Amino acid sequence: MNISHVQLENENDTVRFAKIVGQLAQAGDFIALYGDLGAGKTTFARGLIQDLLGPPTEVPSPTFTLLQTYDAPNFQIYHFDLYRLKSPDEVWELGWEEIGVGVTLCEWPENAGEYLPAKRLEIHLEQDAAGRMAVLRAIGYEGAQNPWKERLIAIKHHFI
Ligand SMILES: Nc1ncnc2c1ncn2[C@@H]1O[C@H](COP(=O)(O)OP(=O)(O)OP(=O)(O)O)[C@@H](O)[C@H]1O
Ligand SMILES: [Mg+2]
């Protein structure tokens, strides 16, 4: 499975979904969070980070800092918000070369242009007549090598 859909009826659903993804996350994962202003990208990142580090952890939106990092038990988490990036080249001023060693959550990934990793999980947070929904797509992997294949099935299975 390379694509999966999850219905998110309210904020609690977004947080619950984020926790499931966080429990399956592995060092090296790049998770690109797409969606309009207010779609729920930061809500998702906060839910995932607070689940792995403990709820007292403050997770501010990186709107102005562009990057916040966290020490989760098994890996470093890089939480980017590239909304204010003026050009893709600016990612190198943020330590973009380090991200492969940890788990990256990236809001406004389209602003990284050509520097977006070829292998990534895309989560598109969308709104339609039925409400909010997340569309998950594993990008850049060849069939059997896709490390998200089993995980997308598990996410769907656990999100009831
Ligand atoms: N599934 C959902 N259904 C309804 N409301 C939701 C859902 N998920 C999150 N929200 C609400 O939508 C808003 C999303 O804000 P959030 O800051 O997470 O958006 P964002 O995508 O990070 O926006 P920005 O592009 O400005 O960074 C919050 O008020 C949150 O409570
Ligand atoms: Mg945000």
Side-chain angles (χ1 to χ4, degrees):
M1 186 155 81
N2 272 330
I3 184 160
S4 184
H5 297 74
V6 174
Q7 205 70 44
L8 304 172
E9 283 180 14
N10 50 42
E11 179 176 356
N12 187 48
D13 269 1
T14 304
V15 172
R16 214 158 50 79
F17 166 56
K19 288 180 181 180
I20 294 167
V21 176
Q23 290 300 325
L24 295 165
Q26 299 168 4
D29 288 341
F30 187 99
I31 301 176
L33 298 168
Y34 292 88
D36 291 341
L37 287 168
K41 302 178 293 294
T42 300
T43 305
F44 176 93
R46 186 174 290 130
L48 186 156
I49 293 164
Q50 287 183 334
D51 188 51
L52 293 178
L53 282 102
T57 309
E58 281 208 36
V59 182
S61 171
T63 312
F64 295 102
T65 55
L66 278 69
L67 170 65
Q68 299 286 144
T69 59
Y70 302 86
D71 286 312
N74 297 326
F75 40 71
Q76 188 95 0
I77 300 176
Y78 300 86
H79 178 194
F80 288 94
D81 182 341
L82 303 181
Y83 187 70
R84 296 166 66 90
L85 218 61
K86 292 186 188 71
S87 126
D89 292 315
E90 289 177 8
V91 296
W92 303 111
E93 294 162 28
L94 300 171
W96 194 250
E97 65 282 350
E98 286 173 37
I99 60 178
V101 300
V103 169
T104 304
L105 305 171
C106 186
E107 301 184 40
W108 297 100
E110 46 274 70
N111 287 352
E114 63 187 289
Y115 304 123
L116 201 59
K119 292 180 176 166
R120 58 188 186 265
L121 178 72
E122 294 191 347
I123 299 181
H124 296 259
L125 296 168
E126 297 173 356
Q127 181 125 30
D128 65 11
R132 294 200 198 192
M133 163 170 97
V135 181
L136 293 79
R137 282 198 196 94
I139 303 281
Y141 299 101
E142 299 294 326
Q145 293 170 356
N146 182 357
W148 284 103
K149 198 173 171 185
E150 299 297 326
R151 288 190 280 172
L152 290 186
I153 294 167
I155 290 165
K156 196 80 185 159
H157 177 77
H158 289 292
F159 190 84
I160 300 164

